[in-house]
Amino acid sequence: MLKAAVSGSFHRHLTAITSAVQELAALSVRVLSPADPRIVAHQGEFLFVASDRVRSVRLVQDRHLDSIRAADFVWLVCPDGYVGQSASMEVGFAAAAGVPVFATRAPSDLTLREYVTIVPTLSDALRRVAASPRPRRPEGVLIDPHVSVEEAHHILERIEAALTCANGFSDPAPRVYRDLADLRTTVGLLPCVQ
């Protein structure tokens, strides 16, 4: 299943963002962020949506950036060419992470245009992504902390079992190091020296 993140101005294009999330879901694409773009709260100009589990601007934005990093592509909603400051940062982040950005309309900003591929429809973007898949990246704990924590717990149980069960026939080190690598991937930790 392809994964996407959707970016755009919630203040100017919320209806189009909501439509894009729904269309992606109908096309069997998992939308990592925003999964549910209904506005539920705000802090100053920052709008929180229903899928934001916390009310911290920094944590919500970090989660969205992690979603971009883990996504197969970003769908940029800018029907009139306007891309706000936050969405501009997200396009730059996607470019730095090597995540393709697609839209049906070019951004008004000349620099942003260089980082956005214009396609006639969302389906065309999906075909392009499917034709040139990128390596899978871990989603990380900020995207879905409950799933990540549960998976990390299972991995830690395997490590504990390997370290505490005396099996005189095999060395537990290879298994423990594989599990540690899985744990780092699951929670997005930096590699340690082995």
Side-chain angles (χ1 to χ4, degrees), residues 53-92:
R53 294 186 172 148
V54 295
R55 298 295 181 258
S56 162
V57 173
R58 176 68 186 260
L59 287 176
V60 167
Q61 190 61 46
D62 284 349
R63 180 186 172 280
H64 190 67
L65 295 175
D66 277 351
S67 296
I68 290 170
R69 183 183 297 116
D72 295 299
F73 69 100
V74 172
W75 184 251
L76 179 64
V77 177
C78 57
D80 58 1
Y82 176 81
V83 179
Q85 291 179 348
S86 294
S88 294
M89 176 186 71
E90 293 159 6
V91 169

PDB file of all heavy atoms in Angstrom, residues 53-92:
ATOM      1  N   ARG A  53      -2.988  14.145  17.923  1.00  0.00           N
ATOM      2  CA  ARG A  53      -3.278  13.586  19.249  1.00  0.00           C
ATOM      3  C   ARG A  53      -2.836  14.497  20.387  1.00  0.00           C
ATOM      4  O   ARG A  53      -3.255  14.321  21.520  1.00  0.00           O
ATOM      5  CB  ARG A  53      -2.604  12.230  19.392  1.00  0.00           C
ATOM      6  CG  ARG A  53      -3.215  11.228  18.445  1.00  0.00           C
ATOM      7  CD  ARG A  53      -2.658   9.862  18.668  1.00  0.00           C
ATOM      8  NE  ARG A  53      -3.402   8.910  17.866  1.00  0.00           N
ATOM      9  CZ  ARG A  53      -2.897   7.829  17.354  1.00  0.00           C
ATOM     10  NH1 ARG A  53      -1.652   7.512  17.592  1.00  0.00           N
ATOM     11  NH2 ARG A  53      -3.646   7.033  16.623  1.00  0.00           N
ATOM     12  N   VAL A  54      -1.959  15.428  20.092  1.00  0.00           N
ATOM     13  CA  VAL A  54      -1.486  16.360  21.114  1.00  0.00           C
ATOM     14  C   VAL A  54      -1.753  17.776  20.638  1.00  0.00           C
ATOM     15  O   VAL A  54      -1.990  18.013  19.459  1.00  0.00           O
ATOM     16  CB  VAL A  54       0.019  16.176  21.408  1.00  0.00           C
ATOM     17  CG1 VAL A  54       0.301  14.817  22.024  1.00  0.00           C
ATOM     18  CG2 VAL A  54       0.848  16.376  20.162  1.00  0.00           C
ATOM     19  N   ARG A  55      -1.719  18.702  21.549  1.00  0.00           N
ATOM     20  CA  ARG A  55      -1.941  20.112  21.203  1.00  0.00           C
ATOM     21  C   ARG A  55      -0.639  20.891  21.413  1.00  0.00           C
ATOM     22  O   ARG A  55      -0.571  21.825  22.184  1.00  0.00           O
ATOM     23  CB  ARG A  55      -3.079  20.716  22.046  1.00  0.00           C
ATOM     24  CG  ARG A  55      -4.426  20.050  21.836  1.00  0.00           C
ATOM     25  CD  ARG A  55      -4.926  20.250  20.411  1.00  0.00           C
ATOM     26  NE  ARG A  55      -6.219  19.631  20.212  1.00  0.00           N
ATOM     27  CZ  ARG A  55      -6.397  18.466  19.597  1.00  0.00           C
ATOM     28  NH1 ARG A  55      -5.363  17.786  19.147  1.00  0.00           N
ATOM     29  NH2 ARG A  55      -7.598  17.967  19.438  1.00  0.00           N
ATOM     30  N   SER A  56       0.381  20.441  20.726  1.00  0.00           N
ATOM     31  CA  SER A  56       1.687  21.092  20.742  1.00  0.00           C
ATOM     32  C   SER A  56       2.063  21.375  19.293  1.00  0.00           C
ATOM     33  O   SER A  56       2.157  20.441  18.483  1.00  0.00           O
ATOM     34  CB  SER A  56       2.729  20.174  21.390  1.00  0.00           C
ATOM     35  OG  SER A  56       4.043  20.589  21.047  1.00  0.00           O
ATOM     36  N   VAL A  57       2.263  22.638  18.963  1.00  0.00           N
ATOM     37  CA  VAL A  57       2.594  23.014  17.585  1.00  0.00           C
ATOM     38  C   VAL A  57       3.831  22.260  17.120  1.00  0.00           C
ATOM     39  O   VAL A  57       3.851  21.665  16.043  1.00  0.00           O
ATOM     40  CB  VAL A  57       2.793  24.545  17.469  1.00  0.00           C
ATOM     41  CG1 VAL A  57       3.313  24.923  16.085  1.00  0.00           C
ATOM     42  CG2 VAL A  57       1.501  25.279  17.784  1.00  0.00           C
ATOM     43  N   ARG A  58       4.877  22.251  17.942  1.00  0.00           N
ATOM     44  CA  ARG A  58       6.142  21.609  17.553  1.00  0.00           C
ATOM     45  C   ARG A  58       5.953  20.104  17.346  1.00  0.00           C
ATOM     46  O   ARG A  58       6.433  19.539  16.363  1.00  0.00           O
ATOM     47  CB  ARG A  58       7.204  21.881  18.609  1.00  0.00           C
ATOM     48  CG  ARG A  58       8.544  21.192  18.379  1.00  0.00           C
ATOM     49  CD  ARG A  58       9.266  21.756  17.157  1.00  0.00           C
ATOM     50  NE  ARG A  58      10.466  21.036  16.852  1.00  0.00           N
ATOM     51  CZ  ARG A  58      11.691  21.443  17.184  1.00  0.00           C
ATOM     52  NH1 ARG A  58      11.862  22.572  17.849  1.00  0.00           N
ATOM     53  NH2 ARG A  58      12.726  20.730  16.844  1.00  0.00           N
ATOM     54  N   LEU A  59       5.272  19.424  18.273  1.00  0.00           N
ATOM     55  CA  LEU A  59       5.095  17.974  18.133  1.00  0.00           C
ATOM     56  C   LEU A  59       4.227  17.626  16.929  1.00  0.00           C
ATOM     57  O   LEU A  59       4.496  16.651  16.220  1.00  0.00           O
ATOM     58  CB  LEU A  59       4.505  17.375  19.404  1.00  0.00           C
ATOM     59  CG  LEU A  59       5.462  17.283  20.587  1.00  0.00           C
ATOM     60  CD1 LEU A  59       4.729  16.751  21.819  1.00  0.00           C
ATOM     61  CD2 LEU A  59       6.664  16.421  20.260  1.00  0.00           C
ATOM     62  N   VAL A  60       3.199  18.411  16.673  1.00  0.00           N
ATOM     63  CA  VAL A  60       2.348  18.153  15.507  1.00  0.00           C
ATOM     64  C   VAL A  60       3.150  18.355  14.228  1.00  0.00           C
ATOM     65  O   VAL A  60       3.084  17.539  13.301  1.00  0.00           O
ATOM     66  CB  VAL A  60       1.085  19.041  15.538  1.00  0.00           C
ATOM     67  CG1 VAL A  60       0.360  19.023  14.202  1.00  0.00           C
ATOM     68  CG2 VAL A  60       0.156  18.588  16.659  1.00  0.00           C
ATOM     69  N   GLN A  61       3.923  19.428  14.161  1.00  0.00           N
ATOM     70  CA  GLN A  61       4.721  19.670  12.956  1.00  0.00           C
ATOM     71  C   GLN A  61       5.800  18.605  12.804  1.00  0.00           C
ATOM     72  O   GLN A  61       6.050  18.124  11.689  1.00  0.00           O
ATOM     73  CB  GLN A  61       5.338  21.071  12.982  1.00  0.00           C
ATOM     74  CG  GLN A  61       5.964  21.465  11.658  1.00  0.00           C
ATOM     75  CD  GLN A  61       4.966  21.510  10.506  1.00  0.00           C
ATOM     76  OE1 GLN A  61       3.883  22.054  10.633  1.00  0.00           O
ATOM     77  NE2 GLN A  61       5.326  20.924   9.374  1.00  0.00           N
ATOM     78  N   ASP A  62       6.439  18.206  13.906  1.00  0.00           N
ATOM     79  CA  ASP A  62       7.449  17.143  13.833  1.00  0.00           C
ATOM     80  C   ASP A  62       6.824  15.841  13.332  1.00  0.00           C
ATOM     81  O   ASP A  62       7.418  15.121  12.531  1.00  0.00           O
ATOM     82  CB  ASP A  62       8.101  16.906  15.196  1.00  0.00           C
ATOM     83  CG  ASP A  62       9.102  17.979  15.562  1.00  0.00           C
ATOM     84  OD1 ASP A  62       9.458  18.809  14.701  1.00  0.00           O
ATOM     85  OD2 ASP A  62       9.527  17.992  16.736  1.00  0.00           O
ATOM     86  N   ARG A  63       5.625  15.546  13.790  1.00  0.00           N
ATOM     87  CA  ARG A  63       4.921  14.346  13.343  1.00  0.00           C
ATOM     88  C   ARG A  63       4.637  14.431  11.843  1.00  0.00           C
ATOM     89  O   ARG A  63       4.799  13.460  11.113  1.00  0.00           O
ATOM     90  CB  ARG A  63       3.617  14.165  14.122  1.00  0.00           C
ATOM     91  CG  ARG A  63       2.838  12.941  13.698  1.00  0.00           C
ATOM     92  CD  ARG A  63       1.469  12.891  14.417  1.00  0.00           C
ATOM     93  NE  ARG A  63       0.669  11.830  13.884  1.00  0.00           N
ATOM     94  CZ  ARG A  63      -0.022  11.882  12.750  1.00  0.00           C
ATOM     95  NH1 ARG A  63      -0.001  12.974  12.020  1.00  0.00           N
ATOM     96  NH2 ARG A  63      -0.730  10.863  12.324  1.00  0.00           N
ATOM     97  N   HIS A  64       4.236  15.606  11.383  1.00  0.00           N
ATOM     98  CA  HIS A  64       3.958  15.763   9.954  1.00  0.00           C
ATOM     99  C   HIS A  64       5.243  15.597   9.137  1.00  0.00           C
ATOM    100  O   HIS A  64       5.234  14.945   8.086  1.00  0.00           O
ATOM    101  CB  HIS A  64       3.297  17.115   9.681  1.00  0.00           C
ATOM    102  CG  HIS A  64       2.764  17.237   8.287  1.00  0.00           C
ATOM    103  ND1 HIS A  64       1.708  16.489   7.822  1.00  0.00           N
ATOM    104  CD2 HIS A  64       3.162  18.001   7.241  1.00  0.00           C
ATOM    105  CE1 HIS A  64       1.463  16.790   6.553  1.00  0.00           C
ATOM    106  NE2 HIS A  64       2.340  17.706   6.175  1.00  0.00           N
ATOM    107  N   LEU A  65       6.341  16.148   9.630  1.00  0.00           N
ATOM    108  CA  LEU A  65       7.614  15.995   8.925  1.00  0.00           C
ATOM    109  C   LEU A  65       8.055  14.529   8.909  1.00  0.00           C
ATOM    110  O   LEU A  65       8.550  14.032   7.893  1.00  0.00           O
ATOM    111  CB  LEU A  65       8.689  16.886   9.545  1.00  0.00           C
ATOM    112  CG  LEU A  65       8.444  18.395   9.414  1.00  0.00           C
ATOM    113  CD1 LEU A  65       9.517  19.173  10.165  1.00  0.00           C
ATOM    114  CD2 LEU A  65       8.348  18.837   7.971  1.00  0.00           C
ATOM    115  N   ASP A  66       7.862  13.826  10.027  1.00  0.00           N
ATOM    116  CA  ASP A  66       8.160  12.388  10.052  1.00  0.00           C
ATOM    117  C   ASP A  66       7.276  11.644   9.058  1.00  0.00           C
ATOM    118  O   ASP A  66       7.712  10.689   8.411  1.00  0.00           O
ATOM    119  CB  ASP A  66       7.954  11.810  11.455  1.00  0.00           C
ATOM    120  CG  ASP A  66       9.155  12.010  12.365  1.00  0.00           C
ATOM    121  OD1 ASP A  66      10.215  12.438  11.865  1.00  0.00           O
ATOM    122  OD2 ASP A  66       9.035  11.734  13.563  1.00  0.00           O
ATOM    123  N   SER A  67       6.031  12.077   8.937  1.00  0.00           N
ATOM    124  CA  SER A  67       5.126  11.468   7.967  1.00  0.00           C
ATOM    125  C   SER A  67       5.620  11.689   6.543  1.00  0.00           C
ATOM    126  O   SER A  67       5.562  10.782   5.708  1.00  0.00           O
ATOM    127  CB  SER A  67       3.715  12.036   8.119  1.00  0.00           C
ATOM    128  OG  SER A  67       3.178  11.711   9.371  1.00  0.00           O
ATOM    129  N   ILE A  68       6.112  12.875   6.270  1.00  0.00           N
ATOM    130  CA  ILE A  68       6.661  13.172   4.950  1.00  0.00           C
ATOM    131  C   ILE A  68       7.848  12.264   4.669  1.00  0.00           C
ATOM    132  O   ILE A  68       7.961  11.665   3.595  1.00  0.00           O
ATOM    133  CB  ILE A  68       7.043  14.666   4.831  1.00  0.00           C
ATOM    134  CG1 ILE A  68       5.770  15.524   4.794  1.00  0.00           C
ATOM    135  CG2 ILE A  68       7.935  14.916   3.610  1.00  0.00           C
ATOM    136  CD1 ILE A  68       6.019  17.013   4.913  1.00  0.00           C
ATOM    137  N   ARG A  69       8.742  12.135   5.645  1.00  0.00           N
ATOM    138  CA  ARG A  69       9.922  11.294   5.475  1.00  0.00           C
ATOM    139  C   ARG A  69       9.535   9.836   5.197  1.00  0.00           C
ATOM    140  O   ARG A  69      10.165   9.155   4.402  1.00  0.00           O
ATOM    141  CB  ARG A  69      10.804  11.361   6.717  1.00  0.00           C
ATOM    142  CG  ARG A  69      12.102  10.563   6.579  1.00  0.00           C
ATOM    143  CD  ARG A  69      12.952  10.551   7.836  1.00  0.00           C
ATOM    144  NE  ARG A  69      13.411  11.876   8.198  1.00  0.00           N
ATOM    145  CZ  ARG A  69      13.058  12.502   9.332  1.00  0.00           C
ATOM    146  NH1 ARG A  69      12.254  11.932  10.194  1.00  0.00           N
ATOM    147  NH2 ARG A  69      13.525  13.697   9.597  1.00  0.00           N
ATOM    148  N   ALA A  70       8.483   9.357   5.848  1.00  0.00           N
ATOM    149  CA  ALA A  70       8.056   7.960   5.702  1.00  0.00           C
ATOM    150  C   ALA A  70       7.157   7.738   4.487  1.00  0.00           C
ATOM    151  O   ALA A  70       6.923   6.591   4.098  1.00  0.00           O
ATOM    152  CB  ALA A  70       7.335   7.512   6.970  1.00  0.00           C
ATOM    153  N   ALA A  71       6.668   8.803   3.892  1.00  0.00           N
ATOM    154  CA  ALA A  71       5.712   8.690   2.781  1.00  0.00           C
ATOM    155  C   ALA A  71       6.411   8.324   1.473  1.00  0.00           C
ATOM    156  O   ALA A  71       7.599   8.577   1.287  1.00  0.00           O
ATOM    157  CB  ALA A  71       4.955  10.009   2.606  1.00  0.00           C
ATOM    158  N   ASP A  72       5.625   7.755   0.578  1.00  0.00           N
ATOM    159  CA  ASP A  72       6.114   7.495  -0.776  1.00  0.00           C
ATOM    160  C   ASP A  72       6.074   8.764  -1.618  1.00  0.00           C
ATOM    161  O   ASP A  72       6.819   8.894  -2.586  1.00  0.00           O
ATOM    162  CB  ASP A  72       5.252   6.411  -1.440  1.00  0.00           C
ATOM    163  CG  ASP A  72       5.398   5.077  -0.739  1.00  0.00           C
ATOM    164  OD1 ASP A  72       6.530   4.553  -0.693  1.00  0.00           O
ATOM    165  OD2 ASP A  72       4.396   4.568  -0.216  1.00  0.00           O
ATOM    166  N   PHE A  73       5.192   9.683  -1.237  1.00  0.00           N
ATOM    167  CA  PHE A  73       5.109  10.965  -1.941  1.00  0.00           C
ATOM    168  C   PHE A  73       4.309  11.954  -1.097  1.00  0.00           C
ATOM    169  O   PHE A  73       3.617  11.580  -0.164  1.00  0.00           O
ATOM    170  CB  PHE A  73       4.472  10.818  -3.326  1.00  0.00           C
ATOM    171  CG  PHE A  73       3.003  10.478  -3.307  1.00  0.00           C
ATOM    172  CD1 PHE A  73       2.047  11.459  -3.507  1.00  0.00           C
ATOM    173  CD2 PHE A  73       2.579   9.174  -3.091  1.00  0.00           C
ATOM    174  CE1 PHE A  73       0.689  11.150  -3.492  1.00  0.00           C
ATOM    175  CE2 PHE A  73       1.231   8.856  -3.076  1.00  0.00           C
ATOM    176  CZ  PHE A  73       0.286   9.842  -3.278  1.00  0.00           C
ATOM    177  N   VAL A  74       4.444  13.230  -1.455  1.00  0.00           N
ATOM    178  CA  VAL A  74       3.662  14.305  -0.841  1.00  0.00           C
ATOM    179  C   VAL A  74       2.716  14.839  -1.904  1.00  0.00           C
ATOM    180  O   VAL A  74       3.115  15.058  -3.054  1.00  0.00           O
ATOM    181  CB  VAL A  74       4.569  15.446  -0.322  1.00  0.00           C
ATOM    182  CG1 VAL A  74       3.745  16.652   0.127  1.00  0.00           C
ATOM    183  CG2 VAL A  74       5.472  14.948   0.799  1.00  0.00           C
ATOM    184  N   TRP A  75       1.463  15.019  -1.513  1.00  0.00           N
ATOM    185  CA  TRP A  75       0.477  15.646  -2.389  1.00  0.00           C
ATOM    186  C   TRP A  75       0.308  17.078  -1.896  1.00  0.00           C
ATOM    187  O   TRP A  75      -0.123  17.312  -0.771  1.00  0.00           O
ATOM    188  CB  TRP A  75      -0.855  14.892  -2.350  1.00  0.00           C
ATOM    189  CG  TRP A  75      -1.836  15.471  -3.317  1.00  0.00           C
ATOM    190  CD1 TRP A  75      -2.957  16.179  -3.011  1.00  0.00           C
ATOM    191  CD2 TRP A  75      -1.792  15.393  -4.741  1.00  0.00           C
ATOM    192  NE1 TRP A  75      -3.609  16.554  -4.163  1.00  0.00           N
ATOM    193  CE2 TRP A  75      -2.907  16.077  -5.251  1.00  0.00           C
ATOM    194  CE3 TRP A  75      -0.902  14.811  -5.642  1.00  0.00           C
ATOM    195  CZ2 TRP A  75      -3.166  16.198  -6.607  1.00  0.00           C
ATOM    196  CZ3 TRP A  75      -1.159  14.933  -6.997  1.00  0.00           C
ATOM    197  CH2 TRP A  75      -2.281  15.619  -7.463  1.00  0.00           C
ATOM    198  N   LEU A  76       0.695  18.045  -2.729  1.00  0.00           N
ATOM    199  CA  LEU A  76       0.617  19.459  -2.367  1.00  0.00           C
ATOM    200  C   LEU A  76      -0.680  20.038  -2.910  1.00  0.00           C
ATOM    201  O   LEU A  76      -0.934  19.986  -4.116  1.00  0.00           O
ATOM    202  CB  LEU A  76       1.815  20.221  -2.936  1.00  0.00           C
ATOM    203  CG  LEU A  76       1.842  21.722  -2.661  1.00  0.00           C
ATOM    204  CD1 LEU A  76       1.963  22.014  -1.160  1.00  0.00           C
ATOM    205  CD2 LEU A  76       2.992  22.368  -3.429  1.00  0.00           C
ATOM    206  N   VAL A  77      -1.467  20.594  -2.022  1.00  0.00           N
ATOM    207  CA  VAL A  77      -2.741  21.207  -2.402  1.00  0.00           C
ATOM    208  C   VAL A  77      -2.526  22.713  -2.491  1.00  0.00           C
ATOM    209  O   VAL A  77      -2.311  23.384  -1.477  1.00  0.00           O
ATOM    210  CB  VAL A  77      -3.845  20.862  -1.369  1.00  0.00           C
ATOM    211  CG1 VAL A  77      -5.142  21.570  -1.730  1.00  0.00           C
ATOM    212  CG2 VAL A  77      -4.042  19.354  -1.288  1.00  0.00           C
ATOM    213  N   CYS A  78      -2.565  23.233  -3.718  1.00  0.00           N
ATOM    214  CA  CYS A  78      -2.418  24.681  -3.935  1.00  0.00           C
ATOM    215  C   CYS A  78      -3.207  25.070  -5.186  1.00  0.00           C
ATOM    216  O   CYS A  78      -2.626  25.472  -6.199  1.00  0.00           O
ATOM    217  CB  CYS A  78      -0.946  25.078  -4.037  1.00  0.00           C
ATOM    218  SG  CYS A  78       0.008  24.247  -5.320  1.00  0.00           S
ATOM    219  N   PRO A  79      -4.540  24.956  -5.123  1.00  0.00           N
ATOM    220  CA  PRO A  79      -5.368  25.145  -6.320  1.00  0.00           C
ATOM    221  C   PRO A  79      -5.265  26.522  -6.960  1.00  0.00           C
ATOM    222  O   PRO A  79      -5.521  26.664  -8.155  1.00  0.00           O
ATOM    223  CB  PRO A  79      -6.784  24.869  -5.821  1.00  0.00           C
ATOM    224  CG  PRO A  79      -6.733  25.000  -4.345  1.00  0.00           C
ATOM    225  CD  PRO A  79      -5.334  24.671  -3.932  1.00  0.00           C
ATOM    226  N   ASP A  80      -4.863  27.517  -6.176  1.00  0.00           N
ATOM    227  CA  ASP A  80      -4.703  28.856  -6.739  1.00  0.00           C
ATOM    228  C   ASP A  80      -3.227  29.278  -6.802  1.00  0.00           C
ATOM    229  O   ASP A  80      -2.917  30.433  -7.049  1.00  0.00           O
ATOM    230  CB  ASP A  80      -5.510  29.876  -5.929  1.00  0.00           C
ATOM    231  CG  ASP A  80      -5.121  29.914  -4.457  1.00  0.00           C
ATOM    232  OD1 ASP A  80      -4.203  29.160  -4.044  1.00  0.00           O
ATOM    233  OD2 ASP A  80      -5.741  30.689  -3.697  1.00  0.00           O
ATOM    234  N   GLY A  81      -2.326  28.315  -6.557  1.00  0.00           N
ATOM    235  CA  GLY A  81      -0.892  28.604  -6.584  1.00  0.00           C
ATOM    236  C   GLY A  81      -0.324  29.017  -5.239  1.00  0.00           C
ATOM    237  O   GLY A  81       0.892  29.032  -5.053  1.00  0.00           O
ATOM    238  N   TYR A  82      -1.183  29.347  -4.284  1.00  0.00           N
ATOM    239  CA  TYR A  82      -0.706  29.792  -2.974  1.00  0.00           C
ATOM    240  C   TYR A  82      -0.206  28.609  -2.148  1.00  0.00           C
ATOM    241  O   TYR A  82      -0.889  27.595  -2.002  1.00  0.00           O
ATOM    242  CB  TYR A  82      -1.825  30.502  -2.208  1.00  0.00           C
ATOM    243  CG  TYR A  82      -1.416  30.887  -0.808  1.00  0.00           C
ATOM    244  CD1 TYR A  82      -0.660  32.029  -0.578  1.00  0.00           C
ATOM    245  CD2 TYR A  82      -1.769  30.097   0.281  1.00  0.00           C
ATOM    246  CE1 TYR A  82      -0.268  32.378   0.704  1.00  0.00           C
ATOM    247  CE2 TYR A  82      -1.392  30.436   1.568  1.00  0.00           C
ATOM    248  CZ  TYR A  82      -0.633  31.578   1.780  1.00  0.00           C
ATOM    249  OH  TYR A  82      -0.240  31.919   3.050  1.00  0.00           O
ATOM    250  N   VAL A  83       1.012  28.760  -1.622  1.00  0.00           N
ATOM    251  CA  VAL A  83       1.587  27.794  -0.685  1.00  0.00           C
ATOM    252  C   VAL A  83       2.053  28.605   0.522  1.00  0.00           C
ATOM    253  O   VAL A  83       2.920  29.455   0.397  1.00  0.00           O
ATOM    254  CB  VAL A  83       2.781  27.029  -1.312  1.00  0.00           C
ATOM    255  CG1 VAL A  83       3.377  26.052  -0.311  1.00  0.00           C
ATOM    256  CG2 VAL A  83       2.341  26.310  -2.574  1.00  0.00           C
ATOM    257  N   GLY A  84       1.475  28.355   1.673  1.00  0.00           N
ATOM    258  CA  GLY A  84       1.838  29.096   2.883  1.00  0.00           C
ATOM    259  C   GLY A  84       3.233  28.756   3.369  1.00  0.00           C
ATOM    260  O   GLY A  84       3.924  27.888   2.819  1.00  0.00           O
ATOM    261  N   GLN A  85       3.640  29.425   4.426  1.00  0.00           N
ATOM    262  CA  GLN A  85       4.990  29.243   4.959  1.00  0.00           C
ATOM    263  C   GLN A  85       5.228  27.822   5.460  1.00  0.00           C
ATOM    264  O   GLN A  85       6.279  27.235   5.195  1.00  0.00           O
ATOM    265  CB  GLN A  85       5.254  30.254   6.070  1.00  0.00           C
ATOM    266  CG  GLN A  85       5.362  31.665   5.570  1.00  0.00           C
ATOM    267  CD  GLN A  85       5.598  32.661   6.683  1.00  0.00           C
ATOM    268  OE1 GLN A  85       5.479  32.344   7.869  1.00  0.00           O
ATOM    269  NE2 GLN A  85       5.949  33.875   6.319  1.00  0.00           N
ATOM    270  N   SER A  86       4.278  27.264   6.203  1.00  0.00           N
ATOM    271  CA  SER A  86       4.468  25.907   6.727  1.00  0.00           C
ATOM    272  C   SER A  86       4.554  24.901   5.585  1.00  0.00           C
ATOM    273  O   SER A  86       5.428  24.026   5.577  1.00  0.00           O
ATOM    274  CB  SER A  86       3.329  25.527   7.677  1.00  0.00           C
ATOM    275  OG  SER A  86       3.351  26.331   8.824  1.00  0.00           O
ATOM    276  N   ALA A  87       3.661  25.003   4.621  1.00  0.00           N
ATOM    277  CA  ALA A  87       3.691  24.075   3.489  1.00  0.00           C
ATOM    278  C   ALA A  87       4.957  24.261   2.661  1.00  0.00           C
ATOM    279  O   ALA A  87       5.506  23.288   2.128  1.00  0.00           O
ATOM    280  CB  ALA A  87       2.444  24.248   2.622  1.00  0.00           C
ATOM    281  N   SER A  88       5.458  25.489   2.575  1.00  0.00           N
ATOM    282  CA  SER A  88       6.724  25.726   1.872  1.00  0.00           C
ATOM    283  C   SER A  88       7.858  24.995   2.568  1.00  0.00           C
ATOM    284  O   SER A  88       8.702  24.361   1.909  1.00  0.00           O
ATOM    285  CB  SER A  88       7.045  27.220   1.815  1.00  0.00           C
ATOM    286  OG  SER A  88       6.110  27.908   1.034  1.00  0.00           O
ATOM    287  N   MET A  89       7.872  25.060   3.909  1.00  0.00           N
ATOM    288  CA  MET A  89       8.889  24.343   4.669  1.00  0.00           C
ATOM    289  C   MET A  89       8.764  22.840   4.405  1.00  0.00           C
ATOM    290  O   MET A  89       9.761  22.139   4.241  1.00  0.00           O
ATOM    291  CB  MET A  89       8.750  24.614   6.162  1.00  0.00           C
ATOM    292  CG  MET A  89       9.725  23.807   7.012  1.00  0.00           C
ATOM    293  SD  MET A  89       9.495  23.958   8.783  1.00  0.00           S
ATOM    294  CE  MET A  89       7.980  23.050   9.021  1.00  0.00           C
ATOM    295  N   GLU A  90       7.535  22.345   4.332  1.00  0.00           N
ATOM    296  CA  GLU A  90       7.296  20.916   4.119  1.00  0.00           C
ATOM    297  C   GLU A  90       7.767  20.474   2.736  1.00  0.00           C
ATOM    298  O   GLU A  90       8.320  19.386   2.589  1.00  0.00           O
ATOM    299  CB  GLU A  90       5.821  20.613   4.346  1.00  0.00           C
ATOM    300  CG  GLU A  90       5.418  20.797   5.803  1.00  0.00           C
ATOM    301  CD  GLU A  90       3.929  21.000   6.036  1.00  0.00           C
ATOM    302  OE1 GLU A  90       3.142  20.891   5.060  1.00  0.00           O
ATOM    303  OE2 GLU A  90       3.551  21.276   7.192  1.00  0.00           O
ATOM    304  N   VAL A  91       7.589  21.309   1.729  1.00  0.00           N
ATOM    305  CA  VAL A  91       8.100  20.999   0.394  1.00  0.00           C
ATOM    306  C   VAL A  91       9.627  20.922   0.442  1.00  0.00           C
ATOM    307  O   VAL A  91      10.230  19.995  -0.120  1.00  0.00           O
ATOM    308  CB  VAL A  91       7.627  22.035  -0.650  1.00  0.00           C
ATOM    309  CG1 VAL A  91       8.372  21.870  -1.974  1.00  0.00           C
ATOM    310  CG2 VAL A  91       6.119  21.926  -0.860  1.00  0.00           C
ATOM    311  N   GLY A  92      10.256  21.867   1.113  1.00  0.00           N
ATOM    312  CA  GLY A  92      11.716  21.839   1.252  1.00  0.00           C
ATOM    313  C   GLY A  92      12.188  20.611   2.005  1.00  0.00           C
ATOM    314  O   GLY A  92      13.190  19.983   1.633  1.00  0.00           O
TER     315      GLY A  92
END
